[in-house]
Amino acid sequence: MEVFGSNFDDSVFEESRNRDLSTDLPTYTPKTCEPEWFYHCEKFKDELDEQKTIKFRADLKYRQKQYQEAIKEYTACLLLVPNNNLSMKRDVLEGMARCYSHLGNNRQALEICEKLRNEVTNTCHLTCILHLEHSIHESCGDVKSAISCLKQLCSIHPFNPWHWMNLAMSYQRLLEASTSIKELKETSQMAQAFIQQQEEETEVQLKACMCFIRTRLLIEILKIQQFSFVLERSRKTLQAIEASLKKMQLEEETLLLISEVMAKDLNPEKMREEKQDGEGLLGLTIKDFEKRWWNKIHASMLMKENTDLSSDKEMETG
């Protein structure tokens, strides 16, 4: 009796057919390049090779802080880039914008950003442009415009804690700048202007607090999955947030109210469903930052004040 599978076909043990091994395989010789080979290269295989070579030169000069020379190389490269090569075109224009920013020509840098905005095709491109615009505004000390870019980043990526942290710190800088001119308003006896200044400072302080709390809530959710230096960074950030909130000296009830509002959309299911970087812009709407978060907090605080006033009146009449 044969066990199933115990018998083999004799052909399995036959010698394999003789193969013709006389044909030599093509040899592969990897291309080797000398350091900075592109710097003195003048012969190009085709237009694409020429574009890349000039782009490498421009990038090197940018790294060496030769911004004016880099702009010349970027400009020469851009003339060779076909209209359908959007990736190369974006890289070159972004390099030019950064060069102009370093040279102090922020107007021209922002004009390039506007050109890039008009050709945006997905959220990844838009995010890159907003980062670029933010760095330009930061370099020239335009805190309000930098805040505008960060608001848009928070609207596109509402669950990214680092956008919220940067926004909180920008509000802090704005608050410090407005506080530094308080004495001038007091000595000028501009009572109405001084009152308005105080109201603006209060609003900026609350917005900074709102962003710090949002950052804290997000990090607390995300740090469960973090390890090593990433977790250490989160811990240090949480310590910095606690120090900043303590410095603001806000009432505990106010902090709890802001935390409640900023935590409403923070659930794992919704966070997974949120559009991720690289998605198309079709159907994407950047909701107004004020309407989405600040107005809700402002309304909640007004409701709390009205409730407190009603309670006080009842106690007086009682």
Side-chain angles (χ1 to χ4, degrees):
M1 178 179 178
E2 290 184 357
V3 179
F4 178 73
S6 63
N7 57 332
F8 297 94
D9 195 315
D10 291 341
S11 62
V12 175
F13 301 100
E14 290 179 358
E15 292 185 7
S16 59
R17 296 178 182 178
N18 293 327
R19 296 179 181 178
D20 184 12
L21 301 176
S22 60
T23 306
D24 293 331
L25 295 173
T27 57
Y28 171 70
T29 306
K31 182 180 179 181
T32 57
C33 299
E34 296 295 326
E36 299 182 11
W37 60 270
F38 49 83
Y39 212 80
H40 304 288
C41 181
E42 298 298 338
K43 294 182 179 179
F44 311 105
K45 292 187 294 184
D46 49 39
E47 285 189 0
L48 182 60
D49 185 45
E50 186 176 4
Q51 290 169 36
K52 290 180 179 179
T53 303
I54 297 174
K55 171 76 162 44
F56 290 152
R57 291 177 190 167
D59 290 341
L60 178 62
K61 287 179 179 178
Y62 174 82
R63 186 175 181 181
Q64 294 172 341
K65 299 183 179 180
Q66 300 176 27
Y67 302 120
Q68 200 64 57
E69 292 299 315
I71 288 173
K72 290 180 182 178
E73 296 285 6
Y74 281 130
T75 304
C77 179
L78 191 61
L79 293 173
L80 298 170
V81 178
N83 292 330
N84 60 352
N85 193 344
L86 297 178
S87 180
M88 175 70 85
K89 188 177 179 182
R90 280 195 301 269
D91 283 348
V92 172
L93 287 172
E94 183 176 338
M96 292 176 71
R98 293 190 183 279
C99 287
Y100 282 123
S101 178
H102 283 294
L103 292 170
N105 192 343
N106 296 306
R107 182 187 59 80
Q108 200 152 356
L110 291 171
E111 284 179 1
I112 292 174
C113 289
E114 186 62 30
K115 187 182 293 184
L116 286 167
R117 264 182 180 271
N118 294 334
E119 297 180 359
V120 162
T121 57
N122 59 46
T123 53
C124 181
H125 299 161
L126 183 56
T127 301
C128 289
I129 292 165
L130 286 169
H131 278 297
L132 177 59
E133 288 180 347
H134 175 256
S135 67
I136 294 169
H137 293 311
E138 284 274 295
S139 68
C140 64
D142 188 351
V143 182
K144 289 186 177 180
S145 295
I147 285 174
S148 177
C149 292
L150 289 169
K151 282 181 179 180
Q152 293 178 68
L153 283 168
C154 288
S155 295
I156 300 171
H157 308 287
F159 306 129
N160 185 315
W162 309 115
H163 294 330
W164 286 96
M165 187 64 181
N166 288 334
L167 183 55
M169 294 169 68
S170 294
Y171 275 127
Q172 263 194 335
R173 286 196 293 273
L174 189 63
L175 185 63
E176 289 166 4
S178 64
T179 304
S180 65
I181 62 171
K182 185 187 289 185
E183 292 182 5
L184 177 65
K185 291 198 178 238
E186 286 176 335
T187 54
S188 302
Q189 297 181 351
M190 298 171 64
Q192 189 61 38
F194 179 62
I195 292 170
Q196 185 179 352
Q197 176 78 7
Q198 285 186 313
E199 291 175 351
E200 289 174 359
E201 285 179 9
T202 301
E203 182 177 325
V204 171
Q205 185 186 49
L206 287 171
K207 285 183 176 180
C209 175
M210 172 185 80
C211 296
F212 277 129
I213 288 175
R214 177 77 171 191
T215 306
R216 183 174 65 184
L217 290 167
L218 286 166
I219 289 178
E220 289 289 356
I221 293 172
L222 296 173
K223 76 173 186 177
I224 301 170
Q225 308 168 28
Q226 295 174 344
F227 302 94
S228 186
F229 64 92
V230 179
L231 180 59
E232 185 60 27
R233 181 193 181 191
S234 294
R235 285 172 177 166
K236 288 181 178 178
T237 303
L238 288 174
Q239 291 172 3
I241 289 171
E242 292 305 319
S244 296
L245 291 174
K246 188 176 180 180
K247 190 177 178 181
M248 289 180 184
Q249 298 180 339
L250 294 172
E251 294 179 5
E252 189 63 30
E253 194 174 352
T254 301
L255 294 175
L256 289 172
L257 187 148
I258 294 173
S259 297
E260 183 182 343
V261 174
M262 298 307 288
K264 282 185 178 178
D265 64 333
L266 297 185
N267 63 76
E269 199 64 36
K270 186 167 184 178
M271 290 171 73
R272 280 195 293 269
E273 291 173 0
E274 189 70 18
K275 284 184 177 293
Q276 297 298 311
D277 211 17
E279 298 249 347
L281 295 179
L282 187 63
L284 174 69
T285 56
I286 302 177
K287 295 180 181 178
D288 182 70
F289 183 90
E290 308 292 329
K291 182 180 178 181
R292 193 171 181 181
W293 287 289
W294 169 246
N295 287 358
K296 291 179 181 178
I297 288 174
H298 191 247
S300 298
M301 293 185 73
L302 285 176
M303 191 180 299
K304 174 183 169 296
E305 287 177 9
N306 292 334
T307 304
D308 291 344
L309 286 171
S310 299
S311 300
D312 292 341
K313 287 180 180 179
E314 287 178 4
M315 289 177 67
E316 289 175 3
T317 54

